Amino acid sequence: MFYFLSSIGVLGLPSICIGSLSLRAVDRAFPRACPWALPTAERILRYFCELLMRVQPWIRAEIDFPSEFQRPSRPGERGCLIVSNHRSHLDAFYLLSEVAGLRLLAKRTLFRVPFLGLVMWGTRQIPVKRGRLDDFARAIDTIRSGLERGERIHVFPEMTRCPAGTEGTQEFLSAPFHAALQAGARILPVVFSGTDQAWPKGGGLHPGLKIRMKALPLVDPRTASNEGERALTADALRSRVRDLITEELRRMQSGARA
């Protein structure tokens, strides 16, 4: 754990504070004069997270993720809601290492952690306070607005990490899928396996274990309906995506035990 946190400090201070956050400030001050500032800031953050995970000798990771997400989204590109199961703190680090310009829905308490909070606010992550329905409703509205602007936003629809060794997935909330339907956004299901063994909920780091991260084919709500001419509902979309993630996760877990 000391090595992991130290590597965040050593790599993060120059690359995020000096590079990514300063360029984001330039973009906010001179958006028309410096259109390159925000995409460059997004690339720097992704490069930092990718480098951070590459220099962790205690992790054996197998990543299967489309390379198109490693570049910032282009003007006019449809928004994308990225959803995954949630097994460990490692999940967020790997998502940020693969997706440029990613915004994460995260617990508001993380925004008060020294240094981390600065990064969370500076990179426009989306805070939500557990147990506050009004706060959750505002966060979902922020997600919808971001998706309408063509952003890439990630939500853990389980809303909390599962206990280590959990088979399959926990229940998914439907609200993020409703936001995606309203925004006309695509959905990218992502599956994590083994991260709960490497860094379990309530536990420390365990070296040498293999973890997997896999992106499944994009789901387009405009063409995903299996109900003929009837509109696809948020609940149906949630069930469809959860089934895809659960099926692939169980396949991974079975392979790991074999």
Side-chain angles (χ1 to χ4, degrees), residues 119-130:
V119 174
M120 299 284 280
W121 286 115
T123 55
R124 299 177 62 242
Q125 307 307 322
I126 304 169
V128 62
K129 187 172 183 179
R130 182 175 295 176

Side-chain angles (χ1 to χ4, degrees), residues 29-30 43 45 48 52 57 79 90 109 121 135 141 143 150 157 168 180 182 209 217 224 226 254:
F30 311 103
R43 287 190 179 96
L45 179 61
F48 157 71
L52 172 68
L90 287 173
T109 53
W121 286 115
D135 204 56
D141 191 56
I143 291 171
Q182 287 183 314
L209 299 176
N226 290 322
S254 298

